[in-house]
Amino acid sequence: MATRLKGTNQDLGRPYNRRIVLEAVRLHGPISRADIARLVALSPQTITNIVREFEEMGLLTARRETPKRPGQPAIELAIDPDGGLAVGLQLLPDRLRGVLLDLTGAVRGQAQAALAASTPETALPAMAALVRRLRDTAPGRVLGVGLAMPGPFDVEAMSFVGPTTLPGWAGVPAAERLQDLTGLPAFVGGDAPAAALSEAMFGLGRSLRDFFYIHFGLGLGGGLVVDGQVQHGAWGNAGELGHMPIVPDGHACSCGNEGCLETYVSVHALRTALAEAGVALDLADPAAADHPAVAAWIEAAVPPLRRALCALENLLDPACIVLGGEMPEPILRRLADRLDPLLPSVSRRRDRVTPRLALSALGADNALVGAAVLAISGLLSPRSGLLFAEAEPAPPPTHGKFAIATETRA
């Protein structure tokens, strides 16, 4: 699928042009300069200048393509995996996970640390130590660090309360503190939007540019991806479908409403159902998907989730809804299979070329990878970025991907 990006030959568009050229190479490389020019609608001379700059910075590699006809073969360009690395951190109630990612999405290192508490006093020093540990695993140019946390953020009645969020973080400038501790540009976002971002960049988004991602984390969140970009909303909390009241007079939710979707459909909801049934079960065991108590939870979860999916399709008209996150894959697959048939909606079309529902291509590491993508997407995204932000005037106004960050310091 061709990237729907278009450059500008105006001087003020130079930083923007460099980012869309890099995005075109990431999505379609190895690719020739002529093919880049056709994709992004820039002049050959502009492409040549941008590519030369990227090669000098070590972001691109060049090689001659395999000859297909007589004459000199074209030079093909690709992202240099060693051109930059990013650290991703995912904060959970009992542990901190970390990953070191290169620009192609390959994992260069992973680590985790147990936490006595997920409060800032305990977690922030652990983050600094884990970043140092990951940087030592694969020395190279580290672009920044991203942190994925359960949301929503800065909502008085919903943030950092109940079983689905973390205590003690209200009012803490997490990105600023993380940057001070690591010396790296730092970005903080919700785990669900971060997971949607990783899916857009390195998962199904390679071939599917418009979709809605549902993340089974501590609660249930989501992210709308339009033309490869995650939409964050006015305050960065778009996609909190877990707090959608879906069952009249249903279970009480920590947000203050009743019948919220995540009280029926989430990892926490499954664990609650097992506890109420008196069943002790290791969900990571592949055989857990076959347990009668898990099957009973799936049967109870299907009706509210079907209604929510129908609402999402009618409201947003996504090309596909993608399920992912920390729900073990065998259980998530059983749930997805049981949802068939989905309720009628505007998405039920005869001309569909993609399924209405799919499982994530990245699995349980989606939010962790997404945390690292928070840091590198500023370089690779045509609609945001720090690499050239201080050197030249800003590009024409656009909706920035980094609206997700609670604090950002370049």
Side-chain angles (χ1 to χ4, degrees), residues 86-88 99 101 105 146 194 197-199 201-202 366-378 401-402:
V87 174
V99 68
L101 206 70
L197 181 60
S198 68
E199 193 71 41
M201 187 168 283
F202 296 123
N366 216 324
L368 178 60
V369 171
V373 175
L374 285 174
I376 65 175
S377 63
K401 183 178 287 187
F402 286 106

Side-chain angles (χ1 to χ4, degrees), residues 159-234:
S159 297
F160 310 111
V161 295
T164 63
T165 50
L166 304 175
W169 287 89
V172 175
E176 182 176 348
R177 294 283 301 278
L178 186 56
Q179 176 169 305
D180 290 340
L181 287 168
T182 63
L184 295 169
F187 306 85
V188 177
D191 53 2
L197 181 60
S198 68
E199 193 71 41
M201 187 168 283
F202 296 123
L204 295 179
R206 290 180 179 273
S207 57
L208 188 65
R209 302 290 287 169
D210 302 271
F211 60 90
F212 190 92
Y213 172 83
I214 295 179
H215 184 70
F216 287 76
L218 293 177
L220 192 72
L224 175 64
V225 177
V226 179
D227 197 18
Q229 306 292 317
V230 178
Q231 310 301 305
H232 299 294

